[in-house]
Structure formats: structure tokens, C-alpha cells
Amino acid sequence: MRYLTLLLTLWMAVNIQGQDHESVYVQVDYMKPHEGKTADYVAMEREVYKPIHRERIKSGEIVAWYLYEVRYPSGSGTEYNFCTVTVFADFANMNDNLEEYETIVLRAHPDKTLAEVDKYATDSRKLVRSEVFKSLAFVPERIENPAQSILLDYMKVEPARESHYLRMEERIWKPLHEERLKRGVIANWGLYELLFPGGLNHPYSHCTVTGFRGWEDIADSWPDDIWEAVHPEATQEDLEERAHEVRDLVSSQIWRLVDHVRIGDL
């Protein structure tokens, strides 16, 4: 019970809802290029859709767009190999307006029709599924440059334990990530909750994303002394055991940044 008492004390110090964090909404589209068309798919995203997303940023609809290659898991049997991530400052902007979108497409490609643009996409890849997340916390609060590689941990949290899980992320893990950032072993970290699709049957409910400046940083991103330095009142084993009690780690993935466009790039 010693470690439980210590952690409960940490939890109650601050509620995550009280933090000064401006949420963003993130649409993740999971993609599977058609067999033999991976290069065509990447070219399509860069040459056809990236200019469209640039126009969406100019219009104020989105704030950023990213294209990632899924490095792990990998192989011919994987469900998807690429993901696009579109960031919205306002949830209302996620409501598609076909007429406005067609106007944006024509600004980006005055020589193409909306049907032609859609055909470029369907000819090169399958859209496996789409999800919407809401951000809950960032380290640092403002990210200057996108991470070149990211580690995603998908979590399953039961509704009855969600408040405990969020306080644990805020009071236990976020300070660890802040120290990792200070030491230069990570580029950023974020906590997200899944909005859609929802329900108890979905395999995960939350996701943490850790960014790295380079691929080589991923393997050595937890200095041996960081646990004691940040939380001298509890051991690493105590903290990890408590995490297992409030959430299940469903899967971990590593994505590599392929391309992007952000509001600060224009």
C-alpha cells in the first residue's frame, strides 16, 4: 500500500481539467496503397493532396497536415502502411462542406475536377478507416518543428477509471516527459482521447504520441536515473505497476514523417 498512498497523493495535487491547454482535433486516416503502387500513392499525396491542404490552411479550415509511413508493425499482412493526420483548431471545421471543398480543390488544381482528384486517390490506395482524437496535453505546449519519427501507444481505459488515468498521465508521466525533453532525448509528447468511433467495443480509447528528432533517438530515450530524479518518492516499479492497474497498453507503433504542411510554413 506504500506506493499506492504516494501516488494517490500525487494524483490529488492537481486535476488534469485545470491545466491551461488549448485542445486541437485530429483526424487520422489509415491508408493501404494498392499492391505495387506505394510510390504512386506517396506521389499522389505530395502532388495532389498536399497543395489542397495548403489551401485549406490558407482558408482557416485546418492548421496542419502530415503524411506518415508506418514503420512498425510492417509486412505484407499489415492492415495499413501509411497514415495522414489532419489537425483542426475547431471541431466545427471538421464538418465537410462539399461546395467549399470543391472551391478549395479548384484553387489548388484549376486544371482538374473534383472527380479527377478523387480518382487519383482511389486508384492508388484504400482508405481503411478514419478516427478523430482530441488533444488533452502537450509537452512542450508549442511545437516548433515536427518530429521526424513518432512512437504511438494506444491505450484502453475503462470509463470508471478514466479520471484516475488522466490524473496519472498529468501528475506521473507528464513530468517525466518534460524531463526527457529537457535532456534532449525526445522532441515532444502528447496525450489524446479518441472521440470517434467510440464505444466499449473499440480496442482503444486514448493514445500517447512521443516525438523524436531522429530514428536513432528512439532506442535510448529513457535515461536510467530519470525516474528517481523526477519521482524520488516512488520506485519505477511502483509507477509502472500503477499504470498497468488503470489502463491496458493495446499496441505500440512507430511512424516516420514523409511530408507535411503547417500554418507556420506558409
Side-chain angles (χ1 to χ4, degrees):
M1 294 298 294
R2 175 182 62 84
Y3 79 89
L4 178 59
T5 302
L6 289 168
L7 294 183
L8 285 174
T9 301
L10 282 171
W11 282 354
M12 298 311 295
V14 167
N15 188 303
I16 195 170
Q17 300 300 324
Q19 66 181 349
D20 182 20
H21 170 74
E22 186 175 346
S23 293
V24 296
Y25 299 88
V26 179
Q27 177 174 318
V28 182
D29 294 321
Y30 300 83
M31 310 289 192
K32 181 77 170 181
H34 298 318
E35 187 174 356
K37 291 197 172 184
T38 297
D40 292 340
Y41 165 71
V42 173
M44 182 274 299
E45 289 285 9
R46 282 177 161 156
E47 298 168 13
V48 178
Y49 273 91
K50 183 178 178 180
I52 293 173
H53 297 308
R54 184 179 289 112
E55 291 298 326
R56 297 176 76 192
I57 292 173
K58 291 178 181 178
S59 70
E61 180 185 344
I62 67 173
V63 296
W65 170 84
Y66 303 87
L67 171 63
Y68 291 97
E69 176 192 11
V70 180
R71 294 296 304 273
Y72 295 104
S74 61
S76 60
T78 54
E79 186 182 13
Y80 50 88
N81 310 103
F82 290 84
C83 292
T84 61
V85 176
T86 309
V87 184
F88 299 79
D90 190 337
F91 183 78
N93 288 343
M94 302 188 77
N95 184 27
D96 289 336
N97 183 306
L98 183 58
E99 185 176 334
E100 291 179 2
Y101 180 66
E102 186 170 12
T103 300
I104 288 173
V105 169
L106 290 175
R107 284 208 305 265
H109 301 291
D111 59 333
K112 295 179 176 63
T113 66
L114 183 58
E116 288 174 329
V117 168
D118 289 342
K119 192 173 186 301
Y120 284 122
T122 57
D123 283 351
S124 65
R125 55 87 175 132
K126 172 186 176 183
L127 173 58
V128 177
R129 69 174 183 271
S130 297
E131 294 176 340
V132 176
F133 292 84
K134 178 183 178 181
S135 68
L136 299 179
F138 285 135
V139 173
E141 194 66 27
R142 303 291 181 193
I143 298 175
E144 297 298 326
N145 297 301
Q148 295 303 302
S149 298
I150 58 176
L151 169 66
L152 299 93
D153 290 324
Y154 290 92
M155 316 286 189
K156 178 70 171 183
V157 181
E158 298 300 327
R161 296 185 175 185
E162 185 174 14
S163 61
H164 296 305
Y165 167 71
L166 295 179
R167 282 195 291 268
M168 180 192 67
E169 288 284 9
E170 174 70 13
R171 299 305 300 164
I172 305 296
W173 294 94
K174 186 178 177 183
L176 286 165
H177 300 310
E178 290 172 336
E179 179 65 20
R180 295 170 79 197
L181 178 70
K182 187 185 301 181
R183 297 188 186 194
V185 295
I186 67 171
N188 52 63
W189 172 86
L191 169 64
Y192 300 82
E193 66 172 326
L194 179 68
L195 296 184
F196 305 105
L200 296 176
N201 291 331
H202 202 73
Y204 46 84
S205 59
H206 295 76
C207 182
T208 61
V209 180
T210 307
F212 300 89
R213 295 177 181 86
W215 179 264
E216 65 279 1
D217 294 336
I218 299 176
D220 298 314
S221 63
W222 284 100
D224 293 337
D225 67 330
I226 196 168
W227 300 86
E228 184 178 0
V230 177
H231 296 301
E233 71 289 333
T235 67
Q236 176 180 348
E237 291 74 18
D238 290 341
L239 299 174
E240 291 180 337
E241 183 176 346
R242 187 55 193 169
H244 294 317
E245 291 181 0
V246 297
R247 58 93 174 121
D248 292 321
L249 176 58
V250 176
S251 68
S252 296
Q253 299 185 9
I254 298 177
W255 297 359
R256 181 184 68 87
L257 183 65
V258 177
D259 209 339
H260 74 282
V261 61
R262 306 187 305 163
I263 192 169
D265 300 333
L266 303 184

Coordinates of all heavy atoms in Angstrom, one line a residue, residues 114-182:
L114 N -13.1 17.9 -59.3 CA -13.2 17.1 -58.0 C -13.2 15.6 -58.3 O -12.5 14.9 -57.6 CB -14.4 17.6 -57.2 CG -14.5 16.9 -55.8 CD1 -13.3 17.3 -55.0 CD2 -15.8 17.5 -55.2
A115 N -13.9 15.2 -59.3 CA -13.9 13.8 -59.6 C -12.6 13.2 -60.0 O -12.2 12.1 -59.7 CB -15.0 13.5 -60.7
E116 N -11.8 14.0 -60.8 CA -10.5 13.6 -61.2 C -9.5 13.5 -59.9 O -8.7 12.5 -59.9 CB -9.9 14.6 -62.2 CG -10.5 14.5 -63.5 CD -10.0 15.6 -64.5 OE1 -9.7 16.7 -64.0 OE2 -10.0 15.4 -65.7
V117 N -9.7 14.4 -59.0 CA -8.8 14.4 -57.8 C -9.2 13.1 -57.0 O -8.3 12.4 -56.5 CB -9.0 15.7 -57.0 CG1 -8.4 15.5 -55.6 CG2 -8.4 16.9 -57.7
D118 N -10.5 12.9 -56.8 CA -10.9 11.7 -56.1 C -10.4 10.4 -56.7 O -10.0 9.4 -56.1 CB -12.4 11.6 -56.0 CG -13.0 12.7 -55.1 OD1 -12.2 13.2 -54.2 OD2 -14.2 13.0 -55.2
K119 N -10.3 10.4 -58.1 CA -9.9 9.2 -58.8 C -8.4 8.9 -58.6 O -8.0 7.8 -58.5 CB -10.2 9.3 -60.3 CG -10.0 8.0 -61.1 CD -10.4 8.2 -62.5 CE -10.4 6.8 -63.2 NZ -9.1 6.2 -63.3
Y120 N -7.6 10.0 -58.5 CA -6.2 9.9 -58.2 C -6.0 9.1 -56.9 O -5.1 8.2 -56.7 CB -5.5 11.2 -58.0 CG -5.2 11.9 -59.4 CD1 -5.7 13.2 -59.6 CD2 -4.4 11.3 -60.3 CE1 -5.5 13.8 -60.8 CE2 -4.1 12.0 -61.5 CZ -4.7 13.2 -61.8 OH -4.4 13.8 -62.9
A121 N -6.9 9.4 -55.9 CA -6.8 8.8 -54.6 C -7.2 7.3 -54.6 O -6.5 6.4 -54.2 CB -7.6 9.5 -53.6
T122 N -8.4 7.0 -55.2 CA -8.9 5.7 -55.2 C -8.1 4.8 -56.1 O -8.0 3.6 -55.8 CB -10.4 5.7 -55.7 OG1 -10.5 6.3 -57.0 CG2 -11.2 6.4 -54.7
D123 N -7.4 5.3 -57.1 CA -6.6 4.5 -58.0 C -5.3 4.0 -57.3 O -4.6 3.1 -57.7 CB -6.2 5.2 -59.2 CG -7.4 5.3 -60.2 OD1 -8.4 4.5 -60.0 OD2 -7.3 6.0 -61.2
S124 N -4.9 4.7 -56.2 CA -3.6 4.5 -55.6 C -3.6 3.8 -54.3 O -2.7 3.2 -53.8 CB -2.7 5.7 -55.5 OG -3.3 6.7 -54.6
R125 N -4.8 3.9 -53.6 CA -4.8 3.4 -52.2 C -6.3 3.1 -51.8 O -7.2 3.5 -52.4 CB -4.2 4.4 -51.2 CG -4.8 5.8 -51.2 CD -6.0 5.9 -50.3 NE -6.5 7.3 -50.2 CZ -7.8 7.6 -50.3 NH1 -8.7 6.7 -50.6 NH2 -8.2 8.8 -50.2
K126 N -6.3 2.4 -50.7 CA -7.6 2.1 -50.0 C -7.6 2.8 -48.7 O -6.6 2.8 -47.9 CB -7.8 0.6 -49.7 CG -9.0 0.2 -48.9 CD -9.0 -1.3 -48.5 CE -10.1 -1.6 -47.6 NZ -10.1 -3.1 -47.2
L127 N -8.7 3.6 -48.4 CA -8.9 4.2 -47.1 C -9.4 3.2 -46.1 O -10.6 2.7 -46.3 CB -9.8 5.4 -47.2 CG -10.2 6.1 -45.9 CD1 -9.0 6.6 -45.1 CD2 -11.2 7.2 -46.2
V128 N -8.6 2.7 -45.2 CA -9.0 1.6 -44.3 C -10.0 2.1 -43.3 O -11.1 1.4 -43.1 CB -7.8 1.0 -43.6 CG1 -8.2 -0.1 -42.6 CG2 -6.8 0.5 -44.7
R129 N -9.8 3.2 -42.6 CA -10.7 3.8 -41.7 C -10.2 5.1 -41.3 O -9.1 5.6 -41.6 CB -10.8 2.9 -40.4 CG -9.6 2.8 -39.5 CD -9.9 2.1 -38.3 NE -8.7 2.1 -37.4 CZ -7.8 1.2 -37.4 NH1 -7.8 0.2 -38.3 NH2 -6.8 1.2 -36.5
S130 N -11.1 5.9 -40.6 CA -10.8 7.2 -40.1 C -11.2 7.3 -38.6 O -12.1 6.7 -38.2 CB -11.5 8.3 -40.9 OG -11.2 8.3 -42.3
E131 N -10.4 8.1 -37.9 CA -10.7 8.3 -36.5 C -10.5 9.8 -36.1 O -9.7 10.5 -36.8 CB -9.7 7.4 -35.6 CG -10.0 5.9 -35.7 CD -9.0 5.1 -35.0 OE1 -7.9 5.6 -34.6 OE2 -9.3 3.9 -34.7
V132 N -11.1 10.2 -35.1 CA -11.0 11.6 -34.6 C -10.6 11.6 -33.1 O -11.2 10.9 -32.3 CB -12.3 12.4 -34.8 CG1 -12.2 13.8 -34.2 CG2 -12.7 12.5 -36.2
F133 N -9.5 12.3 -32.9 CA -9.0 12.4 -31.5 C -9.0 13.9 -31.0 O -9.0 14.8 -31.9 CB -7.5 12.0 -31.4 CG -7.3 10.5 -31.7 CD1 -7.2 10.0 -33.0 CD2 -7.2 9.6 -30.6 CE1 -7.0 8.6 -33.2 CE2 -6.9 8.3 -30.8 CZ -6.8 7.8 -32.1
K134 N -9.1 14.1 -29.7 CA -9.0 15.4 -29.1 C -7.8 15.4 -28.2 O -7.5 14.5 -27.4 CB -10.2 15.7 -28.3 CG -10.2 17.0 -27.6 CD -11.4 17.2 -26.7 CE -11.4 18.5 -25.9 NZ -12.6 18.7 -25.0
S135 N -6.9 16.5 -28.3 CA -5.7 16.6 -27.5 C -6.1 17.0 -26.1 O -7.0 17.8 -25.9 CB -4.8 17.6 -28.1 OG -5.3 18.9 -28.1
L136 N -5.3 16.4 -25.2 CA -5.5 16.7 -23.7 C -4.3 17.3 -23.1 O -4.4 18.1 -22.1 CB -5.9 15.4 -23.0 CG -7.1 14.6 -23.4 CD1 -7.3 13.4 -22.5 CD2 -8.4 15.5 -23.2
A137 N -3.1 17.1 -23.6 CA -1.9 17.6 -23.1 C -0.8 17.6 -24.1 O -0.8 16.7 -24.9 CB -1.5 16.9 -21.8
F138 N 0.1 18.6 -24.0 CA 1.3 18.6 -24.9 C 2.5 18.9 -24.1 O 2.5 19.6 -23.1 CB 1.2 19.8 -25.9 CG 0.2 19.5 -27.1 CD1 -0.7 20.5 -27.5 CD2 0.2 18.3 -27.7 CE1 -1.5 20.3 -28.5 CE2 -0.7 18.1 -28.8 CZ -1.5 19.1 -29.2
V139 N 3.7 18.4 -24.5 CA 5.0 18.8 -24.0 C 5.9 18.9 -25.2 O 6.1 17.9 -25.9 CB 5.5 17.7 -23.0 CG1 7.0 18.0 -22.6 CG2 4.7 17.6 -21.8
P140 N 6.4 20.1 -25.5 CA 6.1 21.4 -24.9 C 4.7 21.8 -25.4 O 4.1 21.2 -26.3 CB 7.2 22.3 -25.4 CG 7.5 21.7 -26.8 CD 7.4 20.2 -26.6
E141 N 4.2 22.9 -24.9 CA 2.9 23.4 -25.3 C 2.9 23.9 -26.7 O 1.9 23.7 -27.4 CB 2.5 24.5 -24.4 CG 1.0 24.9 -24.5 CD 0.1 23.8 -24.0 OE1 0.5 23.0 -23.1 OE2 -1.1 23.7 -24.5
R142 N 4.0 24.4 -27.2 CA 4.1 24.9 -28.6 C 5.3 24.1 -29.3 O 6.4 24.1 -28.8 CB 4.5 26.4 -28.7 CG 3.4 27.3 -28.0 CD 2.1 27.3 -28.7 NE 1.1 28.1 -28.1 CZ -0.2 28.1 -28.4 NH1 -0.6 27.3 -29.3 NH2 -1.0 29.0 -27.8
I143 N 5.0 23.4 -30.4 CA 5.9 22.6 -31.1 C 6.5 23.4 -32.3 O 5.7 23.8 -33.2 CB 5.3 21.3 -31.5 CG1 4.9 20.5 -30.3 CG2 6.3 20.5 -32.4 CD1 4.2 19.2 -30.6
E144 N 7.7 23.7 -32.3 CA 8.3 24.5 -33.4 C 8.5 23.7 -34.6 O 8.2 24.2 -35.7 CB 9.7 25.1 -32.9 CG 9.6 26.0 -31.7 CD 8.8 27.2 -32.0 OE1 8.8 27.7 -33.2 OE2 8.1 27.8 -31.1
N145 N 9.0 22.5 -34.5 CA 9.3 21.7 -35.7 C 8.7 20.3 -35.5 O 8.8 19.7 -34.4 CB 10.8 21.6 -35.9 CG 11.5 22.9 -36.2 OD1 11.1 23.6 -37.2 ND2 12.4 23.3 -35.4
P146 N 8.2 19.7 -36.6 CA 7.6 18.3 -36.4 C 8.7 17.3 -36.2 O 9.8 17.4 -36.7 CB 6.9 18.1 -37.8 CG 7.6 19.0 -38.7 CD 8.0 20.2 -38.0
A147 N 8.4 16.3 -35.4 CA 9.3 15.2 -35.1 C 9.4 14.4 -36.4 O 8.5 14.1 -37.1 CB 8.8 14.4 -33.9
Q148 N 10.6 13.8 -36.6 CA 10.9 13.0 -37.7 C 10.4 11.6 -37.6 O 10.0 10.9 -38.6 CB 12.4 13.0 -38.0 CG 12.9 14.4 -38.4 CD 12.2 14.9 -39.6 OE1 12.1 14.3 -40.7 NE2 11.6 16.1 -39.5
S149 N 10.3 11.1 -36.3 CA 9.7 9.8 -36.0 C 8.8 9.9 -34.8 O 9.1 10.7 -33.9 CB 10.8 8.8 -35.8 OG 11.6 8.6 -36.9
I150 N 7.8 9.1 -34.7 CA 6.9 9.2 -33.6 C 6.6 7.8 -33.1 O 6.4 6.9 -33.9 CB 5.6 10.0 -33.8 CG1 4.8 9.4 -35.0 CG2 5.9 11.5 -34.1 CD1 3.5 10.1 -35.2
L151 N 6.4 7.6 -31.8 CA 6.0 6.4 -31.2 C 4.6 6.6 -30.6 O 4.4 7.5 -29.8 CB 7.0 6.0 -30.0 CG 6.5 4.9 -29.1 CD1 6.5 3.6 -29.8 CD2 7.4 4.8 -27.9
L152 N 3.7 5.8 -31.1 CA 2.3 5.9 -30.7 C 2.0 4.7 -29.8 O 2.2 3.5 -30.1 CB 1.3 5.9 -31.9 CG 1.5 7.0 -32.8 CD1 2.4 6.6 -34.0 CD2 0.1 7.5 -33.4
D153 N 1.4 5.0 -28.6 CA 1.0 3.9 -27.7 C -0.6 4.1 -27.5 O -1.1 5.1 -27.0 CB 1.6 4.1 -26.3 CG 3.1 3.7 -26.3 OD1 3.5 2.8 -27.0 OD2 3.8 4.4 -25.6
Y154 N -1.3 3.1 -28.0 CA -2.7 3.0 -28.0 C -3.2 2.4 -26.7 O -2.8 1.2 -26.4 CB -3.3 2.3 -29.2 CG -3.1 3.0 -30.5 CD1 -2.0 2.7 -31.3 CD2 -4.1 3.9 -30.9 CE1 -1.9 3.4 -32.5 CE2 -3.9 4.5 -32.2 CZ -2.8 4.3 -32.9 OH -2.7 4.9 -34.1
M155 N -4.0 3.1 -25.9 CA -4.4 2.6 -24.6 C -5.9 2.3 -24.5 O -6.7 3.0 -25.2 CB -4.1 3.7 -23.5 CG -2.8 4.4 -23.6 SD -1.4 3.3 -23.1 CE -0.1 4.5 -23.1
K156 N -6.3 1.3 -23.7 CA -7.7 1.0 -23.4 C -7.9 1.4 -21.9 O -7.3 0.8 -21.1 CB -8.0 -0.4 -23.7 CG -9.4 -0.8 -23.3 CD -10.4 -0.2 -24.3 CE -11.8 -0.8 -24.1 NZ -12.8 -0.3 -25.1
V157 N -8.8 2.4 -21.7 CA -9.1 2.8 -20.4 C -10.6 2.6 -20.1 O -11.5 3.1 -20.9 CB -8.8 4.3 -20.1 CG1 -9.1 4.7 -18.7 CG2 -7.3 4.5 -20.4
E158 N -11.0 1.8 -19.1 CA -12.4 1.7 -18.8 C -13.0 3.0 -18.3 O -12.3 3.8 -17.6 CB -12.6 0.6 -17.7 CG -12.1 -0.8 -18.1 CD -12.8 -1.3 -19.3 OE1 -14.0 -1.0 -19.5 OE2 -12.2 -2.1 -20.1
P159 N -14.2 3.3 -18.6 CA -14.8 4.6 -18.3 C -14.7 4.9 -16.8 O -14.5 6.0 -16.4 CB -16.3 4.4 -18.7 CG -16.2 3.5 -19.9 CD -15.1 2.5 -19.5
A160 N -14.9 3.9 -15.9 CA -14.9 4.1 -14.5 C -13.5 4.5 -14.0 O -13.4 5.1 -12.9 CB -15.3 2.8 -13.8
R161 N -12.4 4.2 -14.8 CA -11.1 4.6 -14.4 C -10.5 5.7 -15.1 O -9.3 6.1 -14.9 CB -10.2 3.3 -14.6 CG -10.6 2.1 -13.7 CD -9.6 1.0 -13.9 NE -9.9 -0.1 -12.9 CZ -9.1 -1.1 -12.8 NH1 -8.0 -1.3 -13.5 NH2 -9.4 -2.1 -11.9
E162 N -11.3 6.4 -16.0 CA -10.7 7.4 -16.8 C -10.2 8.6 -16.0 O -9.1 9.1 -16.4 CB -11.8 7.9 -17.8 CG -11.2 8.9 -18.8 CD -12.2 9.3 -19.9 OE1 -13.4 9.0 -19.7 OE2 -11.8 9.9 -20.9
S163 N -10.9 9.1 -15.0 CA -10.4 10.2 -14.2 C -9.1 9.9 -13.6 O -8.1 10.7 -13.5 CB -11.4 10.6 -13.2 OG -11.7 9.6 -12.3
H164 N -8.9 8.6 -13.1 CA -7.7 8.2 -12.5 C -6.5 8.1 -13.5 O -5.4 8.5 -13.2 CB -7.8 6.8 -11.8 CG -8.8 6.8 -10.7 ND1 -8.7 7.6 -9.6 CD2 -9.9 6.1 -10.4 CE1 -9.7 7.4 -8.7 NE2 -10.4 6.5 -9.2
Y165 N -6.9 7.6 -14.7 CA -5.9 7.5 -15.7 C -5.4 8.9 -16.1 O -4.2 9.1 -16.3 CB -6.5 6.8 -17.0 CG -5.6 6.9 -18.2 CD1 -4.4 6.3 -18.3 CD2 -6.0 7.7 -19.3 CE1 -3.6 6.4 -19.4 CE2 -5.2 7.9 -20.4 CZ -4.0 7.2 -20.5 OH -3.2 7.4 -21.6
L166 N -6.3 9.8 -16.3 CA -5.9 11.2 -16.8 C -5.0 11.9 -15.7 O -4.1 12.5 -16.0 CB -7.1 12.0 -17.1 CG -8.0 11.5 -18.3 CD1 -9.2 12.4 -18.5 CD2 -7.1 11.4 -19.6
R167 N -5.4 11.7 -14.4 CA -4.5 12.3 -13.4 C -3.2 11.6 -13.3 O -2.2 12.3 -13.1 CB -5.3 12.2 -12.0 CG -6.4 13.2 -11.8 CD -6.8 13.3 -10.4 NE -7.5 12.1 -9.9 CZ -8.8 11.9 -10.0 NH1 -9.6 12.9 -10.5 NH2 -9.4 10.8 -9.5
M168 N -3.1 10.3 -13.6 CA -1.8 9.7 -13.6 C -1.0 10.2 -14.8 O 0.2 10.5 -14.6 CB -2.0 8.2 -13.8 CG -0.7 7.4 -13.9 SD -0.9 5.7 -14.4 CE -1.4 5.9 -16.1
E169 N -1.5 10.4 -16.0 CA -0.8 10.9 -17.1 C -0.3 12.3 -16.7 O 0.9 12.7 -17.0 CB -1.6 11.0 -18.3 CG -1.9 9.6 -19.0 CD -0.7 9.0 -19.7 OE1 0.4 9.6 -19.6 OE2 -0.9 8.0 -20.4
E170 N -1.1 13.1 -16.1 CA -0.8 14.5 -15.8 C 0.3 14.6 -14.7 O 1.2 15.4 -14.8 CB -2.0 15.3 -15.4 CG -1.8 16.7 -14.9 CD -1.3 17.7 -16.0 OE1 -1.5 17.3 -17.2 OE2 -0.9 18.8 -15.7
R171 N 0.1 13.9 -13.7 CA 1.0 14.0 -12.5 C 2.2 13.1 -12.5 O 3.2 13.4 -11.8 CB 0.1 13.8 -11.2 CG -1.0 14.8 -11.1 CD -0.5 16.3 -11.1 NE 0.4 16.6 -10.1 CZ 1.2 17.6 -10.1 NH1 1.2 18.5 -11.1 NH2 2.0 17.8 -9.1
I172 N 2.1 12.0 -13.1 CA 3.2 11.0 -13.0 C 4.0 11.0 -14.3 O 5.2 11.2 -14.3 CB 2.7 9.6 -12.8 CG1 1.8 9.5 -11.6 CG2 3.8 8.6 -12.8 CD1 2.5 9.8 -10.3
W173 N 3.4 10.9 -15.5 CA 4.1 10.7 -16.7 C 4.5 12.0 -17.4 O 5.6 12.1 -18.0 CB 3.3 9.8 -17.7 CG 3.1 8.4 -17.1 CD1 2.1 7.9 -16.4 CD2 4.1 7.4 -17.3 NE1 2.4 6.6 -16.0 CE2 3.6 6.2 -16.6 CE3 5.3 7.3 -17.9 CZ2 4.3 5.0 -16.5 CZ3 6.0 6.1 -17.8 CH2 5.5 5.0 -17.1
K174 N 3.6 13.0 -17.3 CA 3.9 14.3 -18.0 C 5.2 14.9 -17.4 O 6.1 15.3 -18.2 CB 2.8 15.2 -17.9 CG 3.0 16.5 -18.7 CD 1.8 17.5 -18.6 CE 2.1 18.8 -19.3 NZ 0.9 19.7 -19.1
P175 N 5.4 14.9 -16.1 CA 6.7 15.4 -15.6 C 7.9 14.6 -16.1 O 9.0 15.2 -16.3 CB 6.6 15.3 -14.1 CG 5.1 15.4 -13.8 CD 4.5 14.6 -15.0
L176 N 7.8 13.3 -16.3 CA 8.8 12.5 -16.8 C 9.2 12.9 -18.3 O 10.3 13.0 -18.6 CB 8.5 11.0 -16.8 CG 8.5 10.3 -15.4 CD1 7.8 9.0 -15.5 CD2 9.9 10.1 -15.0
H177 N 8.1 13.2 -19.1 CA 8.3 13.6 -20.4 C 8.9 15.0 -20.5 O 9.7 15.3 -21.4 CB 7.0 13.5 -21.2 CG 6.4 12.2 -21.3 ND1 7.2 11.1 -21.6 CD2 5.2 11.7 -21.0 CE1 6.4 10.0 -21.6 NE2 5.2 10.3 -21.2
E178 N 8.5 15.9 -19.6 CA 9.1 17.2 -19.5 C 10.6 17.1 -19.2 O 11.4 17.9 -19.8 CB 8.4 18.0 -18.4 CG 7.0 18.4 -18.8 CD 6.2 19.1 -17.7 OE1 6.6 18.9 -16.5 OE2 5.3 19.8 -18.0
E179 N 11.0 16.2 -18.3 CA 12.5 16.0 -18.1 C 13.2 15.4 -19.3 O 14.3 15.7 -19.6 CB 12.6 15.1 -16.8 CG 14.0 14.8 -16.4 CD 14.8 16.0 -16.0 OE1 14.2 17.0 -15.6 OE2 16.1 16.0 -16.0
R180 N 12.5 14.4 -19.9 CA 13.1 13.9 -21.1 C 13.3 14.9 -22.2 O 14.4 15.0 -22.9 CB 12.2 12.8 -21.7 CG 12.0 11.6 -20.8 CD 10.9 10.6 -21.3 NE 11.4 9.8 -22.4 CZ 10.5 9.2 -23.2 NH1 9.2 9.3 -23.1 NH2 11.0 8.4 -24.2
L181 N 12.4 15.8 -22.3 CA 12.5 17.0 -23.3 C 13.7 17.8 -22.9 O 14.5 18.2 -23.7 CB 11.2 17.8 -23.3 CG 11.3 19.0 -24.2 CD1 11.3 18.6 -25.7 CD2 10.1 19.9 -24.0
K182 N 13.8 18.1 -21.6 CA 14.9 19.0 -21.1 C 16.2 18.4 -21.4 O 17.2 19.1 -21.7 CB 14.7 19.2 -19.6 CG 15.7 20.2 -19.0 CD 15.5 20.3 -17.5 CE 14.1 20.6 -17.1 NZ 13.9 20.7 -15.6

